């Protein structure tokens, strides 16, 4: 029997659902709409690696480096200490950059640094540059996947989705990545509800289903006791009524 080495995600209860964490050297996708906590999950994943003495790389396509440092520090994660020790590298790929593609820049950065964990937040901008053809986006995604595989790092990348849709904005990353985590945010009136679903994970068993979580002052924490069937039923009825009124 082949033993699959595990990489802890930084979320203890998620690790239990994944039978120990992400498979080592896998490429994983966290997809969800705004407010789901994708960026927080990414930082939490890297923070766990830093605590374990691993080298990490954070590639941002949306927030500049100072914003990332500040957001992490709010959660109690002081990235700057690890940057000074050369254990963490943060790169910001601005949309207003010279005429070089995102993929080339990512490949250049990732190939120059020997790291154990890589985060890319998010790939939606990169895929949006590929025009209107899904075939071009899928090709770019395969190229990114292969580029990341060559680093031997365990990776977590994020992608945006439109509300009420489980698929990423362009719907191609899910087919390429080794693992897919769907993050959902449901809210109405004065209530809100978040849950995570492991949609796909190659080379490992995992616990299926919807798993509630909460964003706290120290990161994301899965909360099985937050499962509220009454709330979910009322939410579904509300959305059904909303769609009926819209025709």
């Amino acid at each position: 029997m082949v033993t699959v080495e595990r990489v802890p995600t930084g979320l203890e209860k998620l690790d239990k659902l994944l039978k120990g964490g992400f498979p080592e050297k896998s490429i994983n996708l966290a997809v969800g709409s705004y407010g789901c906590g994708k960026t927080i999950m990414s930082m939490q994943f890297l923070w766990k690696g830093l605590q374990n003495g691993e080298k990490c790389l954070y590639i941002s396509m949306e927030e500049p480096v100072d914003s990332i440092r500040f957001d992490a520090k709010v959660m109690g994660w002081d990235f700057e200490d690890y940057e000074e020790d050369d254990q963490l590298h943060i790169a910001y790929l601005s949309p207003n950059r010279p005429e070089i593609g995102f993929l080339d820049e990512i490949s250049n950065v990732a190939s120059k640094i020997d790291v154990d964990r890589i985060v890319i937040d998010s790939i939606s901008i990169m895929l949006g540059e590929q025009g209107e053809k899904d075939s071009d986006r899928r090709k770019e995604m395969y190229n990114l996947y292969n580029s990341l595989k060559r680093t031997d790092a365990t990776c977590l990348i994020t992608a945006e989705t439109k509300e009420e849709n489980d698929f990423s904005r362009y719907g191609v990353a899910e087919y390429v990545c080794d693992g897919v985590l769907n993050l959902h945010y449901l809210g109405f009136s004065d209530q809100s509800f978040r849950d995570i679903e492991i949609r796909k994970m190659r080379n490992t068993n995992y616990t299926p289903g919807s798993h509630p979580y909460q964003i706290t002052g120290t990161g994301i924490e899965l909360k099985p006791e937050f499962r509220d069937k009454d709330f979910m039923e009322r939410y579904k009825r509300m959305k059904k009524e909303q769609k009926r009124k819209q025709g």
Side-chain angles (χ1 to χ4, degrees):
M1 181 180 294
V2 176
T3 300
V4 178
E5 298 297 329
R6 306 289 176 164
V7 175
T9 64
L11 287 70
E12 183 178 353
K13 292 178 182 178
L14 178 58
D15 288 340
K16 291 180 180 178
L17 299 178
L18 291 169
K19 314 307 177 187
F22 292 137
E24 189 178 40
K25 302 180 183 180
S26 60
I27 314 297
N28 304 284
L29 175 73
V31 58
S33 64
Y34 61 90
C36 289
K38 300 184 298 298
T39 296
I40 293 174
M41 176 179 282
S42 300
M43 292 179 176
Q44 201 163 341
F45 170 69
L46 288 191
W47 184 249
K48 182 64 175 180
L50 295 171
Q51 301 306 293
N52 290 344
E54 300 171 29
K55 285 196 170 186
C56 301
L57 170 62
Y58 190 117
I59 298 175
S60 171
M61 297 188 185
E62 295 183 344
E63 290 191 70
V65 175
D66 286 344
S67 294
I68 294 165
R69 290 176 183 143
F70 179 81
D71 292 345
K73 192 168 288 188
V74 168
M75 289 291 176
W77 309 323
D78 196 340
F79 280 177
E80 289 184 80
D81 286 347
Y82 292 91
E83 289 181 271
E84 291 172 3
D85 293 338
D86 207 34
Q87 191 179 337
L88 171 65
H89 299 267
I90 304 176
Y92 170 54
L93 307 187
S94 170
N96 302 316
R97 65 203 182 288
E99 290 302 316
I100 177 174
F102 274 122
L103 181 59
D104 290 334
E105 287 196 89
I106 292 170
S107 299
N108 289 339
V109 172
S111 63
K112 291 177 182 178
I113 306 170
D114 185 19
V115 294
D116 304 292
R117 299 187 184 215
I118 297 175
V119 158
I120 302 178
D121 183 27
S122 88
I123 60 166
S124 297
I125 294 176
M126 181 190 81
L127 294 179
E129 285 195 334
Q130 303 308 306
E132 298 299 322
K133 292 184 179 179
D134 285 343
S135 58
D136 290 338
R137 295 192 184 106
R138 186 173 292 225
K139 180 180 178 180
E140 189 78 349
M141 191 63 219
Y142 271 115
N143 289 336
L144 174 62
Y145 177 89
N146 291 328
S147 179
L148 293 175
K149 277 292 185 182
R150 286 192 290 270
T151 68
D152 284 336
T154 304
C155 304
L156 178 60
I157 60 182
T158 71
E160 301 165 0
T161 183
K162 296 180 180 179
E163 288 189 271
E164 308 303 325
N165 190 338
D166 275 350
F167 286 94
S168 58
R169 180 169 295 175
Y170 302 110
V172 298
E174 290 87 344
Y175 296 98
V176 179
C177 291
D178 299 315
V180 177
L181 305 175
N182 281 119
L183 281 66
H184 306 115
Y185 173 84
L186 311 175
F188 69 96
S189 186
D190 60 345
Q191 298 186 64
S192 63
F193 179 92
R194 294 179 173 89
D195 73 79
I196 186 170
E197 178 187 3
I198 305 168
R199 190 69 173 261
K200 163 186 172 183
M201 196 63 59
R202 292 174 183 150
N203 302 319
T204 185
N205 293 323
Y206 58 86
T207 303
S210 171
H211 307 280
Y213 67 91
Q214 183 182 35
I215 298 177
T216 72
T218 56
I220 290 176
E221 183 178 356
L222 270 68
K223 294 279 191 178
E225 65 272 22
F226 279 18
R227 194 181 302 274
D228 187 339
K229 292 182 180 179
D230 179 61
F231 171 73
M232 291 298 295
E233 287 302 317
R234 285 186 288 119
Y235 179 84
K236 289 176 182 177
R237 288 198 298 270
M238 181 200 72
K239 297 308 292 184
K240 185 176 181 180
E241 178 65 15
Q242 190 178 62
K243 287 182 179 179
R244 185 188 68 78
K245 290 181 178 179
Q246 291 174 348

